[in-house]
C-alpha cells in the first residue's frame, strides 16, 4: 500500500499488504496523508503527525493516537471506538468527546457514537422513544435528559465541516 500526500502526491509511506491494521506507525510524519477509508484498526499512531490528513471514513477502532497531532484533519465519518486520544490535538477537526455520562459519547462530523451505537445525528434525532428504549433499558431516561445537548453538539460538528 502506498500512502500519498493529498496535496503534493509525494509518497509518505509504503507498506506490504492492503491495510494498516495493527501497524506500528509511532511518530510517523503523515502530514496531509490521503488515508480515506483505510483500515487502521489497532494501529499505533502515538505521536504521529496527521495534520491535514484525510481520514474520512477510516476505521480508527482501538488505534493509539496518544499525543498525535490531528489538527485540521478530515475525520468525517471515522470510527473512533476504543481509540486512545489522550493528549491528541483535535483542534479544527470538529470532534467532540463527552465524558461523565453513563455511556461514552464521541461525535465526529457525520456521525455520533453513544456507547456502542453509531448513527448520523439525523438518525438519532428521528428515533422513536420505543427504538431508543429497545437499545437499552436505561436509554430512554438518558436520551430524554441529554438528547438536546448531544444533537446540538452533533449539528455543530457537521456545521464545522461545512465551514472548512
Amino acid at each position: 500500500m502506498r500512502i500519498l500526500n493529498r496535496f503534493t502526491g509525494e509518497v509518505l509511506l509504503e507498506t506490504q499488504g492492503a491495510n494498516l491494521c495493527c501497524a506500528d506507525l509511532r511518530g510517523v510524519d503523515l502530514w496531509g496523508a490521503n488515508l480515506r477509508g483505510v483500515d487502521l484498526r489497532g494501529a499505533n499512531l502515538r505521536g504521529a503527525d496527521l495534520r491535514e490528513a484525510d481520514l474520512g471514513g477510516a476505521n480508527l477502532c482501538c488505534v493509539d493516537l496518544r499525543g498525535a497531532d490531528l489538527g485540521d484533519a478530515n475525520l468525517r465519518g471515522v470510527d473512533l471506538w476504543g481509540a486512545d486520544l489522550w493528549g491528541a490535538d483535535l483542534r479544527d477537526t470538529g470532534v467532540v468527546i463527552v465524558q461523565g455520562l453513563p455511556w461514552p459519547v464521541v461525535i465526529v462530523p457525520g456521525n455520533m457514537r453513544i456507547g456502542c451505537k453509531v448513527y448520523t445525528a439525523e438518525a438519532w434525532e428521528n428515533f422513536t422513544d420505543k427504538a431508543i428504549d429497545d437499545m437499552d433499558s436505561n436509554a430512554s431516561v438518558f436520551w430524554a435528559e441529554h438528547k438536546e445537548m448531544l444533537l446540538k453538539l452533533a449539528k455543530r460538528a457537521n456545521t464545522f465541516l461545512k465551514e472548512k
Side-chain angles (χ1 to χ4, degrees):
M1 169 181 277
R2 290 179 120 186
I3 305 297
L4 305 176
N5 182 291
R6 66 187 183 131
F7 303 112
T8 67
E10 170 191 2
V11 176
L12 299 174
L13 181 70
E14 282 194 69
T15 65
Q16 300 294 326
N19 65 46
L20 294 172
C21 286
C22 301
D24 186 354
L25 301 171
R26 283 177 284 188
V28 71
D29 183 358
L30 292 171
W31 171 83
N34 181 359
L35 293 164
R36 178 172 280 282
V38 171
D39 189 352
L40 289 156
R41 280 176 295 154
N44 185 344
L45 286 160
R46 188 176 191 166
D49 182 355
L50 293 160
R51 287 173 298 139
E52 298 189 57
D54 184 357
L55 290 153
N59 186 341
L60 299 177
C61 288
C62 301
V63 171
D64 185 350
L65 289 163
R66 288 177 287 175
D69 189 344
L70 292 151
D72 215 22
N74 173 19
L75 297 174
R76 182 175 185 82
V78 300
D79 190 347
L80 289 166
W81 185 84
D84 189 341
L85 295 163
W86 183 259
D89 185 346
L90 297 168
R91 147 186 47 97
D92 296 328
T93 61
V95 172
V96 178
I97 299 169
V98 182
Q99 298 177 338
L101 299 178
W103 290 286
V105 177
V106 178
I107 300 168
V108 298
N111 67 39
M112 177 167 47
R113 176 184 286 276
I114 301 175
C116 64
K117 307 289 186 185
V118 181
Y119 299 101
T120 65
E122 183 179 31
W124 280 110
E125 188 171 26
N126 291 321
F127 279 127
T128 64
D129 289 342
K130 176 162 179 12
I132 294 291
D133 196 48
D134 288 345
M135 292 180 190
D136 186 276
S137 60
N138 297 316
S140 294
V141 173
F142 170 88
W143 194 235
E145 186 175 341
H146 302 291
K147 176 180 181 177
E148 184 178 340
M149 172 199 58
L150 294 175
L151 288 174
K152 281 182 182 178
L153 290 170
K155 287 178 183 173
R156 178 65 189 127
N158 285 330
T159 301
F160 171 85
L161 185 67
K162 291 174 187 168
E163 292 173 355
K164 286 182 85 175

